[in-house]
């Protein structure tokens, strides 16, 4: 096995499942995640993996099979995207309620209508209240690393909850980057065999997901899931420390970039983080104290880590690659809630929405957001700023003109 290879994000996810020695892969194809399943199927057919891969008739069946197999004691991996995630949505809540610690890779893609294949985060953020842990990757290496860490966190008996590892469709799923692939022997040291506390076994009945009435028992179980999710943050940090000890790469729920003396900070997540970093570097070269905070963990929401990195800053912008119609950016509102009780919270908190439906966000657009932070008097508090360039507006106007919705003079 080569230690470093040029891999797409999808291939990195497949490699993670392979070296994690998963037992069962229920699957259903959907762009842009299909390459993951095709790669795993090819390896299994060649005898390179011992796992059982089964194509189900839908994502709902796929997730049902994933959850029940996990309860039997199998280490389960699966993947989906966008409409597929929503088609199986009911089962996300069941899997979390069953405490089935599988790993699901979501390759983000905007949700129809109108239909597109390009990414935003409305699909994965729709699942933020399901009880799944959520980890979001910026680079292909992080896809592989976070899947390995995800299994260790999910299967920890203090947590016992499923994990979604998210990557952006196209921007990461089909982009090749150098990826270090750990040896399977080393991974076995980091990730011992799954040891389910109460597996299904013949002759030893176990109840999972029973009907409960009256509310109090339901509330007890929901609170239990909430407490377990909160513990996942510390368990993630323990796993990340072991990961760094073995392979030298650091991961944390919230990461900072050029933060030491930063007065103006951008909060961002997933693949657009790489473009935002370039904006921060260019502003630093001009003497502007800019910095960046990247959210790796979205559930549990790492409020204490976010507060630690944002308190005392002059102004903060939150970049949302999603939109909650009628509200604005989803992550902006969660960051605002985290900062609400902080005495020395930033004077300005700006919501910037971009990258929806795969709309490319340029370095100049991120620089524009920082300039708005330096001149907050030109913004309206609480009102999100939609990033949309003049050339993009011209393209939209051309399309509307062709459709007969506007005249030639517009």
């Amino acid at each position: 096995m080569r230690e470093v290879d040029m891999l797409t994000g999808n291939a990195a996810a497949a490699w993670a499942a392979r070296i994690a020695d998963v037992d069962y892969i229920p699957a259903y194809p959907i762009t842009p995640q299909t390459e993951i399943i095709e790669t795993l199927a090819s390896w299994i057919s060649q005898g390179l993996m011992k796992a059982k891969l089964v194509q189900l008739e839908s994502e709902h069946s796929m997730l049902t099979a994933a959850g029940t197999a996990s309860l039997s004691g199998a280490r389960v991996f699966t993947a989906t995207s966008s409409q597929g995630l929503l088609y199986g949505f009911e089962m996300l809540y069941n899997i979390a309620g069953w405490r089935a610690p599988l790993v699901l890779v979501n390759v983000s893609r905007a949700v129809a209508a109108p239909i597109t294949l390009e990414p935003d985060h409305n699909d994965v953020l729709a699942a933020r209240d399901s009880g799944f842990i959520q980890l979001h990757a910026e680079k292909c290496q992080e896809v592989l690393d976070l899947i390995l860490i995800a299994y260790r966190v999910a299967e920890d008996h203090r947590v016992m909850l499923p994990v979604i590892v998210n990557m952006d469709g196209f921007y990461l799923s089909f982009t090749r980057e150098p990826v270090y692939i750990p040896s399977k022997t080393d991974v076995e040291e980091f990730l011992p065999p799954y040891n389910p506390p109460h597996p299904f076994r013949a002759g030893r009945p176990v109840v999972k997901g029973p009907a409960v009435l009256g509310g109090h028992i339901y509330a007890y179980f929901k609170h239990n899931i909430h407490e377990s999710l909160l513990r996942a943050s510390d368990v993630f940090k323990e796993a990340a420390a072991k990961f760094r000890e073995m392979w030298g790469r650091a991961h944390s729920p919230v990461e900072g970039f050029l933060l030491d003396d930063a007065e103006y900070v951008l909060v961002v997540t997933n693949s657009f983080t790489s473009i935002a970093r370039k904006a921060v570097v260019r502003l630093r070269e001009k003497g502007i104290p800019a910095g960046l905070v990247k959210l790796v963990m979205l559930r549990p929401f790492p409020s204490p880590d976010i507060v630690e990195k944002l308190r005392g800053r002059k102004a903060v912008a939150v970049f949302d690659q999603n939109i909650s119609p009628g509200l604005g950016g989803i992550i902006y509102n969660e960051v605002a809630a985290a900062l609400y009780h902080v005495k020395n919270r930033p004077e300005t908190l700006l919501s910037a929405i971009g990258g929806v439906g795969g709309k490319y966000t340029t370095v100049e657009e991120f620089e524009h957001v920082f300039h708005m932070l330096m001149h907050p008097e030109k913004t309206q508090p609480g009102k999100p700023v939609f990033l949309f360039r003049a050339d993009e507006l011209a393209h939209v106007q051309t399309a509307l003109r062709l459709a007969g919705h506007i005249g030639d003079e517009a």
Side-chain angles (χ1 to χ4, degrees), residues 284-307:
R284 283 282 178 171
E285 290 171 350
K286 298 174 184 174
I288 297 171
L292 181 146
V293 165
K294 181 177 79 171
L295 303 185
V296 175
M297 178 179 282
L298 269 293
R299 282 295 183 274
F301 196 67
S303 297
D305 303 86
I306 291 171
V307 169

Side-chain angles (χ1 to χ4, degrees), residues 119-120 171 272 319-322 353-361 387:
D120 67 33
Y171 286 114
F272 277 126
F319 177 77
D320 269 290
Q321 198 181 342
N322 65 79
I353 296 177
V356 175
K359 191 194 95 64
Y360 187 74
T361 304
L387 301 176

Side-chain angles (χ1 to χ4, degrees), residues 45-64:
S45 68
Q46 296 174 57
L48 299 173
M49 286 183 69
K50 295 184 295 183
K52 176 77 171 178
L53 188 149
V54 178
Q55 181 168 317
L56 282 299
E57 73 273 25
S58 72
E59 287 88 351
H60 190 282
S61 301
M62 178 189 84
L63 290 172
T64 304

Side-chain angles (χ1 to χ4, degrees), residues 15 66 75 84 106 136 143 197 199 206 216 247 294 337 355 365 383 397 399 404:
W15 265 109
R75 178 170 286 165
N106 182 68
H136 291 236
V143 172
V206 175
H216 55 291
W247 294 297
K294 181 177 79 171
E365 285 176 276
K383 185 175 181 180
Q397 288 175 329

